[in-house]
Amino acid sequence: MVSRKIITHLLSLVLITIILLIFHYPILLNADFFLQFDEVGQAGFAINLFRGDPVPFYYPAENAFTYTGTQQSLFAIPFYWLIGISALAYKLPAILCSSFHIWTTCWISGKINPKAPFVVGLLMLFCSPALWFLVTHNWHNATILFLGNLILLFFVECYSSRKLLPLKVFFL
């Protein structure tokens, strides 16, 4: 039973990721053209990290990006290893974080109402143009939304069952 749930969740995550990749294929195909000004500086910083620079928690002051942390640059490094240094490799973590966000939102809605995840997933895949724009940009939005969903999921788990409560409260 548990393995069936795990396989179902993994398949749904893969399906969501494939759908996002297909829908955003024109933007990903022309990733160099759709690279925003913040992403250019952050991608350059990620390239330096990829080439061996030390890993700080915030961008250095000379790049004028000290207002954000560096985790989206760190998420891009495995894609640099896989497909090489390119704008596409920098944009793929945003797609992946967005698919994790959609998947965890469907999971949370399934905890509340077992019939809701399919409708919620469709509504999130066919969302407004503003959210559609954010899916392909490697900013902190998708990461923050995914981590917020994880916190909400731990809260729902703590609220709904007392099994392994100390561990769930620790992760919350």
Side-chain angles (χ1 to χ4, degrees):
M1 187 70 168
V2 174
S3 63
R4 189 175 186 187
K5 284 185 177 181
I6 291 172
I7 290 171
T8 304
H9 282 293
L10 284 176
L11 285 177
S12 63
L13 179 62
V14 168
L15 182 66
I16 290 169
T17 306
I18 289 171
I19 289 171
L20 285 177
L21 287 171
I22 289 170
F23 286 165
H24 293 93
Y25 180 72
I27 294 174
L28 294 174
L29 187 63
N30 300 310
D32 296 333
F33 180 72
F34 287 103
L35 206 62
Q36 297 289 321
F37 62 94
D38 278 344
E39 288 180 310
V40 171
Q42 294 166 355
F45 182 77
I47 291 169
N48 290 337
L49 287 177
F50 178 70
R51 292 184 176 150
D53 280 2
V55 180
F57 292 112
Y58 291 95
Y59 290 106
E62 65 267 5
N63 288 342
F65 291 117
T66 57
Y67 56 88
T68 59
T70 60
Q71 83 262 11
Q72 82 268 20
S73 294
L74 296 175
F75 291 157
I77 290 175
F79 292 101
Y80 287 161
W81 280 325
L82 288 174
I83 61 175
I85 296 174
S86 66
L88 173 65
Y90 190 73
K91 286 190 172 288
L92 284 178
I95 298 279
L96 193 60
C97 282
S98 295
S99 63
F100 275 117
H101 170 243
I102 293 170
W103 173 64
T104 53
T105 303
C106 291
W107 194 359
I108 292 168
S109 67
K111 296 275 184 188
I112 297 169
N113 183 357
K115 297 177 182 177
F118 184 72
V119 174
V120 169
L122 283 178
L123 289 174
M124 290 188 74
L125 284 173
F126 299 104
C127 58
S128 70
L131 289 176
W132 195 256
F133 173 79
L134 290 176
V135 169
T136 57
H137 295 318
N138 196 3
W139 294 329
H140 292 282
N141 302 336
T143 310
I144 290 168
L145 290 171
F146 168 62
L147 293 176
N149 275 355
L150 281 182
I151 291 170
L152 186 59
L153 184 64
F154 283 126
F155 175 74
V156 168
E157 285 291 323
C158 290
Y159 187 75
S160 64
S161 72
R162 298 288 178 200
K163 189 177 177 184
L164 296 173
L165 185 63
L167 182 64
K168 292 175 185 174
V169 170
F170 170 77
F171 282 118
L172 181 64

